[in-house]
Amino acid sequence: MLCGLWCMLVVLPTQAQIDNEEFIEEVDSTEQDSVWSDSLPARNDQLAWPQNVQASIDALLENEMFQTSQVGIMIWDLDADSAIYRRNERQMLRPASTMKVITAITALDRLGGSYQFKTELCYTGRVDSCVLTGDVYCVGGFDPRFNNDDMRAFAEGLHKMGIDTIRGNLYADRSMKDKDLLGEGWCWDDDNPVLSPLLILRKDQFMSRFYDELRKMGIYVTGSIGEKRKPEEANCIVRRFHTIDQIMMRMLKESDNLYAEAMFYQIAASTGNRPATAKSARAVIRQLVDKLGLQGRRYEFADGSGLSLYNYVSAELEVRFLRYAFENGNIYNHLLPALPIAGQDGTLRRRMQSEFTRGNVRAKTGTVAGISSLCGYLTAANGHRLCFSIINQGVMHGKNGRTFQDKVSSILCSPQ
């Protein structure tokens, strides 16, 4: 779990900063080291589409920023079904939070758009004269949205059965996933989300909160609180759930790392392996990569959120995932509404506010120290629908990477 020398050499932003990339943008707006002017390179009106776009992006790449940093770019015309721009598109780079797009598309492909993140309340034994003689089990399914209302519903479920005493124990069933509470390649001293399948308001305090809620309902527990897998014969009386769309909306719009990891472990659980592991999730992602015509073994998928230092993908891979989603309505119709919209919401609400990009570019951002990335969809000036991936690596001032990505998007969206 420790990052070794990487953690000593690379200073990462805090989890809160990664979760809220607008905060990072506000900080970077004061930077004095910007290498960009506000203007776009002049269009060559003698060139037809897409050569005029290619020439304009080539001009951007002459900037001094690229003397000390790497970039991988691929832009695909979905209507013409051809690449209109590529530069280092197979270069292995760290994706930061654009890794969440790979996780989202894999989840929709594997689980379907009607999938639910469930948490269950079950019991064993019998109820007689307001007394449950048996044990109560809270069965975690890694729902990151489980909240106070859900907890209240759990306690009410027992209260409505007329129970005022539980002559037994309260058990947490966390058997859905392994016991690793951090992802591979996460720095131990960062403010990381807790990867427990049984959370309340993002915190690993489920059973103590459940006990408190029972007491509020006037239900007394004679036993203790522990951890144990639910027996097969247990009766389930309450099931609380949130939909994959609800999870994906926050995961992508606000770049929520906990939500992405919850999605990652749903993918793992779909293999039937119990407990679910990151290894199982990686195997499913690699299977999809193979299906898309690339080689899954060439890439590294350490986690579902992009927090890990060990993720390595390419712009070509991200574009291939976006193309696959576009070609499959059962994926695209769930993915597109969840992507941030330029100038309007999510992590793009303060970016690309020109008349041609605002409301047009729908894309996932990525920001960690030294990395700035963007991938998604837009409609070009000629009416063609495009998907794209831009990964900037080795950029010490994130604003420079974001400005470059915004300029590329403006070139694609603006009329000749």
Side-chain angles (χ1 to χ4, degrees), residues 164-200:
D164 61 21
T165 303
I166 298 173
R167 193 166 290 159
N169 302 313
L170 305 181
Y171 288 116
D173 183 344
R174 296 187 175 94
S175 60
M176 177 262 191
K177 73 171 290 293
D178 60 25
K179 295 186 181 297
D180 291 340
L181 298 182
L182 295 176
E184 183 179 347
W186 291 8
C187 282
W188 64 271
D189 57 349
D190 201 5
D191 184 17
N192 298 302
V194 179
L195 303 185
S196 168
L198 201 54
L199 299 171
I200 169 72

Side-chain angles (χ1 to χ4, degrees), residues 45-339:
D45 294 334
Q46 304 301 313
L47 298 175
W49 173 276
Q51 286 77 23
N52 50 12
V53 166
Q54 294 164 354
S56 297
I57 298 175
D58 284 342
L60 290 180
L61 289 168
E62 294 298 318
N63 190 280
E64 63 184 68
M65 163 181 158
F66 298 104
Q67 296 175 14
T68 57
S69 67
Q70 300 166 275
V71 64
I73 308 175
M74 192 169 198
I75 304 169
W76 193 272
D77 188 324
L78 293 163
D79 290 310
D81 196 24
S82 62
I84 65 170
Y85 195 89
R86 58 180 82 211
R87 175 74 66 95
N88 301 325
E89 75 278 8
R90 294 185 176 175
Q91 183 87 40
M92 293 298 180
L93 303 168
R94 288 174 55 203
S97 283
T98 56
M99 179 66 204
K100 293 180 175 72
V101 169
I102 293 174
T103 302
I105 293 171
T106 304
L108 287 167
D109 183 66
R110 180 82 177 193
L111 307 173
S114 60
Y115 186 80
Q116 298 174 343
F117 290 59
K118 304 184 187 77
T119 310
E120 294 182 319
L121 179 68
C122 308
Y123 74 94
T124 57
R126 59 187 176 81
V127 179
D128 186 25
S129 300
C130 300
V131 177
L132 168 61
T133 303
D135 298 318
V136 174
Y137 294 81
C138 298
V139 185
F142 210 155
D143 178 359
R145 283 182 63 104
F146 195 94
N147 56 35
N148 289 330
D149 290 339
D150 298 310
M151 185 64 80
R152 194 172 300 111
F154 266 30
E156 286 175 348
L158 292 168
H159 187 261
K160 289 176 180 178
M161 292 176 65
I163 296 171
D164 61 21
T165 303
I166 298 173
R167 193 166 290 159
N169 302 313
L170 305 181
Y171 288 116
D173 183 344
R174 296 187 175 94
S175 60
M176 177 262 191
K177 73 171 290 293
D178 60 25
K179 295 186 181 297
D180 291 340
L181 298 182
L182 295 176
E184 183 179 347
W186 291 8
C187 282
W188 64 271
D189 57 349
D190 201 5
D191 184 17
N192 298 302
V194 179
L195 303 185
S196 168
L198 201 54
L199 299 171
I200 169 72
L201 296 175
R202 309 176 69 95
K203 296 180 180 178
D204 194 12
Q205 302 173 347
F206 196 101
M207 297 309 292
S208 62
R209 293 286 300 275
F210 180 50
Y211 179 84
D212 291 343
E213 197 64 39
L214 290 175
R215 293 306 302 268
K216 290 179 186 177
M217 292 278 180
I219 300 174
Y220 179 69
V221 181
T222 65
S224 60
I225 297 175
E227 184 169 338
K228 187 178 180 180
R229 187 167 178 172
K230 171 184 72 69
E232 291 295 327
E233 68 272 14
N235 303 298
C236 292
I237 56 173
V238 180
R239 173 180 291 174
R240 301 293 287 185
F241 68 88
H242 291 98
T243 67
I244 195 170
D245 286 330
Q246 289 175 302
I247 304 302
M248 193 163 299
M249 191 67 68
R250 182 177 174 92
M251 167 184 163
L252 297 181
K253 291 281 189 189
E254 303 301 331
S255 199
D256 193 298
N257 294 314
L258 174 62
Y259 282 49
E261 295 304 327
M263 191 82 72
F264 189 65
Y265 279 96
Q266 306 301 321
I267 295 169
S270 73
T271 64
N273 295 331
R274 193 180 182 105
T277 64
K279 181 178 179 181
S280 293
R282 292 176 199 132
V284 175
I285 296 174
R286 288 195 173 103
Q287 288 171 8
L288 180 54
V289 174
D290 291 340
K291 175 182 173 181
L292 300 183
L294 300 175
Q295 294 180 297
R297 61 182 175 81
R298 293 181 175 271
Y299 306 92
E300 293 295 333
F301 308 108
D303 64 12
S305 63
L307 265 178
S308 177
L309 298 173
Y310 304 154
N311 290 310
Y312 277 94
V313 305
S314 66
E316 177 186 49
L317 178 69
E318 291 191 337
V319 163
R320 193 65 195 88
F321 267 77
L322 290 167
R323 288 171 56 199
Y324 179 69
F326 181 80
E327 293 159 1
N328 292 269
N330 57 333
I331 297 176
Y332 187 71
N333 292 337
H334 294 274
L335 177 70
L336 190 67
L339 289 171

